[in-house]
Amino acid sequence: MSLKDQYKIIEFKDLGDERGNLVVIEGEGRDIPFDIKRVFYIYGSDSEVVRGQHANRETEFLLVNVGGTSKVRIDNGRESEIVELNRPGMGLYLPPMLWKDMYDFSPDSILLVLASRHYDAGEYIRDYDAYIEEMNPKA
Ligand code: TYD
């Protein structure tokens, strides 16, 4: 499957009015494909830092820069792409088994991450060479 068919850019409705903006993300297939079990956010990472650098065997993620900007390099072992997260209404959906690197954080970057599963260190692949090998089994 090509990388373009694996990740999704999702635009969320802005229910804002004269009082300000309001973006809602509902799980279980309403706005994103999964039920939200965990939320974390990353801020205060400077522009030199590269975070992520792993793939998850089970967890699906939805990434939104609710403030500032960052970039995500996604990789399926054969192709890679860079997506810039730069709007609070834009989400990047990532299924399991994609490698991701988050980097180029703006000073005001707040990267919100919604996850389909609770944290489990055992489902992480943190060795890129091992990941590439697993995604490209020898015939
Ligand atoms: P890490 O995987 O390096 O974060 P990122 O992918 O965002 O760069 O996680 C840093 C530490 O935090 C590591 O010890 C694992 C722990 N952690 C949790 O306990 N729960 C979580 O949901 C996450 C994302 C990390």
Side-chain angles (χ1 to χ4, degrees), residues 12-24 66 87-89:
F12 301 113
K13 290 185 291 288
D14 188 339
L15 306 177
D17 54 29
E18 64 287 349
R19 297 169 298 167
N21 301 305
L22 171 66
V23 178
V24 177
V66 293
R87 282 173 288 123

Side-chain angles (χ1 to χ4, degrees), residues 38-42 45 49-54 56 61 100 102 105 111 113 115 117-121 124 126:
R38 176 164 55 113
V39 174
F40 56 95
Y41 41 94
I42 294 169
S45 288
V49 163
V50 182
R51 301 200 60 124
Q53 299 189 284
H54 57 244
N56 296 76
F61 294 98
K100 51 242 173 225
M102 292 88 87
F105 297 94
L111 176 57
V113 183
R117 296 176 72 101
H118 294 297
Y119 181 72
D120 170 10
Y124 281 67
R126 292 188 180 274

Side-chain angles (χ1 to χ4, degrees), residues 10-136:
I10 303 175
E11 298 291 337
F12 301 113
K13 290 185 291 288
D14 188 339
L15 306 177
D17 54 29
E18 64 287 349
R19 297 169 298 167
N21 301 305
L22 171 66
V23 178
V24 177
I25 306 174
E26 293 210 45
E28 283 188 320
R30 291 194 177 195
D31 298 306
I32 61 173
F34 57 84
D35 187 13
I36 300 157
K37 290 262 176 55
R38 176 164 55 113
V39 174
F40 56 95
Y41 41 94
I42 294 169
Y43 62 99
S45 288
D46 70 37
S47 60
E48 310 299 309
V49 163
V50 182
R51 301 200 60 124
Q53 299 189 284
H54 57 244
N56 296 76
R57 292 187 183 281
E58 309 283 349
T59 306
E60 297 166 75
F61 294 98
L62 190 284
L63 282 63
V64 186
N65 255 96
V66 293
T69 62
S70 70
K71 293 195 180 97
V72 188
R73 191 184 77 88
I74 45 183
D75 185 332
N76 66 5
R78 298 174 302 280
E79 303 166 80
S80 77
E81 247 185 79
I82 292 167
V83 175
E84 179 165 351
L85 299 174
N86 53 18
R87 282 173 288 123
M90 169 197 183
L92 172 63
Y93 167 76
L94 300 174
M97 286 310 279
L98 291 183
W99 188 271
K100 51 242 173 225
D101 298 323
M102 292 88 87
Y103 64 101
D104 220 358
F105 297 94
S106 64
D108 57 346
S109 173
I110 303 173
L111 176 57
L112 175 70
V113 183
L114 311 180
S116 66
R117 296 176 72 101
H118 294 297
Y119 181 72
D120 170 10
E123 64 128 1
Y124 281 67
I125 304 171
R126 292 188 180 274
D127 178 334
Y128 186 67
D129 292 340
Y131 171 76
I132 293 296
E133 210 162 291
E134 183 167 337
M135 298 308 280
N136 296 281

